[in-house]
């Protein structure tokens, strides 16, 4: 069995037995996929007791939890987890049953091909990215941040609540093309955090970035074939053109 859901932002109550009773019949050979903004690796520098509690709680689940990264992940810490070969691609192993599916790989689960490519551009940084290098201390930075956000400014802090890695490097996009070539640009599912730009525009999201345009090129230039494209990011449940499925809090079985 394979289930899919949207952003969790470290709020994992949807996976309680009460909210997700289907897990009673699942094993580690069954999967739940989160379409980005997992948020379970978020704390600054070291994992807090709360973060560790929830990761351990998830590690006790009967199923295997998979996620692509969103824009709200601590990329500095995420990359410190061991990279392993996993179901035909590469993944960070967070726990024995928790894996981050890295960008640009084609994985195989239950005989189906999944192309994964996380990341997205943040939409809550209109008033800037603060950097500790510009302050005498972390205390000063936090004081300025709190003062300005109370006024309604939309800010993030570099390497604390925002990372440039939210958008891909050229080598990741190249890797995606190379791995898709190996399967003749034909997969069963695409798992991402954001959508191709033309689909974004149809849904009312006009702002383009290099990732949404990259996804556009996969479809328009490389004629990528797929059954369904699942993403998170937009905090809604919506199907666009029948094939692009935005997930949020609902957990949907796809296989």
């Amino acid at each position: 069995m394979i289930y899919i859901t949207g952003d969790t932002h470290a709020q994992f109550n949807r996976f309680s037995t009460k909210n997700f009773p289907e897990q009673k019949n699942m094993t580690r050979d069954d999967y739940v996929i989160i379409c980005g903004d997992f948020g379970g690796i978020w704390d600054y520098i070291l994992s807090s007791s709360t973060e560790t509690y929830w990761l351990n709680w998830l590690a006790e689940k009967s199923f295997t939890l998979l996620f692509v990264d969103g824009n709200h992940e601590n990329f500095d810490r995420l990359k410190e987890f061991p990279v392993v070969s996993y179901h035909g691609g590469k993944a960070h192993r967070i726990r024995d049953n928790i894996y981050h599916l890295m960008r640009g790989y084609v994985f195989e689960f239950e005989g189906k091909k999944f192309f994964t490519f996380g990341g997205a551009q943040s939409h809550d940084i209109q008033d800037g990215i603060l950097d500790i290098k510009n302050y005498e201390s972390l205390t000063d930075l936090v004081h300025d941040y709190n003062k300005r956000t109370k006024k309604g400014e939309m800010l993030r802090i570099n390497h604390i609540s925002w990372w440039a890695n939210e958008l891909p490097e050229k080598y990741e996009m190249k890797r995606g093309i190379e791995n898709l070539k190996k399967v003749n640009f034909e997969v069963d599912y695409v798992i991402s955090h954001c959508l191709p730009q033309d689909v974004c525009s149809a849904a009312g999201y006009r702002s383009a970035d290099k990732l949404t345009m990259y996804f556009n090129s996969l479809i328009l230039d490389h004629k990528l074939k797929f059954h369904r494209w699942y993403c998170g990011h937009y905090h809604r449940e919506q199907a666009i053109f029948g094939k692009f499925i935005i997930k949020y809090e609902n957990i949907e079985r796809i296989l």
Side-chain angles (χ1 to χ4, degrees):
M1 291 181 280
I2 299 180
Y3 289 83
I4 197 160
T5 189
D7 311 21
T8 48
H9 294 284
Q11 302 297 312
F12 300 120
N13 288 328
R14 76 183 68 171
F15 302 127
S16 69
T17 305
K18 177 182 178 181
N19 293 327
F20 184 44
E22 294 86 348
Q23 66 189 279
K24 296 176 182 178
N25 298 315
M26 298 174 73
T27 71
R28 293 292 172 90
D29 292 325
D30 298 307
Y31 306 92
V32 176
I33 303 173
I34 297 172
C35 296
D37 281 359
F38 169 63
I41 313 297
W42 178 256
D43 294 335
Y44 181 56
I45 301 180
L46 296 173
S47 181
S48 66
S49 59
T50 299
E51 182 179 277
T52 299
Y53 168 84
W54 283 109
L55 288 174
N56 290 340
W57 184 81
L58 291 169
E60 293 175 356
K61 290 296 177 181
S62 60
F63 54 85
T64 295
L65 186 66
L66 311 174
F67 68 95
V68 298
D69 51 276
N71 51 303
H72 293 148
E73 318 283 1
N74 187 327
F75 290 96
D76 293 336
R77 288 185 52 225
L78 189 58
K79 69 182 181 183
E80 293 176 354
F81 287 88
V83 176
V84 297
S85 296
Y86 187 70
H87 285 260
K90 296 289 185 181
H92 287 108
R93 186 178 64 228
I94 312 302
R95 294 289 191 275
D96 287 344
N97 67 322
I98 305 175
Y99 292 87
H100 165 231
L101 304 179
M102 296 171 64
R103 298 171 180 172
Y105 288 101
V106 177
F107 297 86
E108 186 168 318
F109 299 102
E110 297 197 6
K112 302 295 184 180
K113 293 181 175 63
F114 290 74
F115 176 66
T116 65
F117 208 108
Q121 182 167 273
S122 292
H123 300 298
D124 51 3
I125 55 175
Q126 290 90 327
D127 296 301
I129 305 296
L130 305 184
D131 198 306
I132 193 170
K133 294 184 296 184
N134 299 321
Y135 296 82
E136 292 187 4
S137 68
L138 179 60
T139 300
D140 290 337
L141 184 154
V142 172
H143 176 74
D144 186 40
Y145 173 83
N146 289 337
K147 181 178 67 175
R148 293 172 64 179
T149 54
K150 284 180 180 178
K151 295 179 180 178
E153 292 188 41
M154 301 186 74
L155 302 163
R156 288 270 170 175
I157 303 173
N158 193 23
H159 293 289
I160 294 179
S161 61
W162 179 87
W163 290 262
N165 305 85
E166 67 177 26
L167 289 174
E169 300 285 352
K170 288 182 179 179
Y171 77 87
E172 292 174 309
M173 294 188 285
K174 181 180 179 182
R175 180 170 64 204
I177 297 293
E178 291 173 347
N179 284 323
L180 284 172
K181 281 181 181 178
K182 295 175 184 177
V183 295
N184 297 316
F185 288 93
E186 187 168 353
V187 297
D188 297 287
Y189 298 95
V190 178
I191 310 295
S192 67
H193 190 52
C194 63
L195 287 168
Q197 184 54 43
D198 286 351
V199 185
C200 289
S201 296
Y205 301 100
R206 306 294 181 183
S207 179
D209 57 67
K210 66 178 179 179
L211 182 52
T212 61
M213 294 306 296
Y214 171 70
F215 288 157
N216 247 29
S217 72
L218 293 182
I219 296 171
L220 299 177
D221 299 335
H222 298 286
K223 310 301 180 186
L224 177 65
K225 296 179 181 178
F226 57 92
H227 174 63
R228 290 283 187 276
W229 185 312
Y230 286 95
C231 74
H233 193 44
Y234 307 99
H235 290 200
R236 62 169 70 176
E237 308 280 347
Q238 183 180 4
I240 306 170
F241 303 141
K243 297 181 69 172
F244 299 91
I245 313 298
I246 301 174
K247 299 301 298 178
Y248 189 27
E249 295 178 328
N250 291 343
I251 305 175
E252 173 189 347
R253 183 175 177 179
I254 62 173
L255 285 172

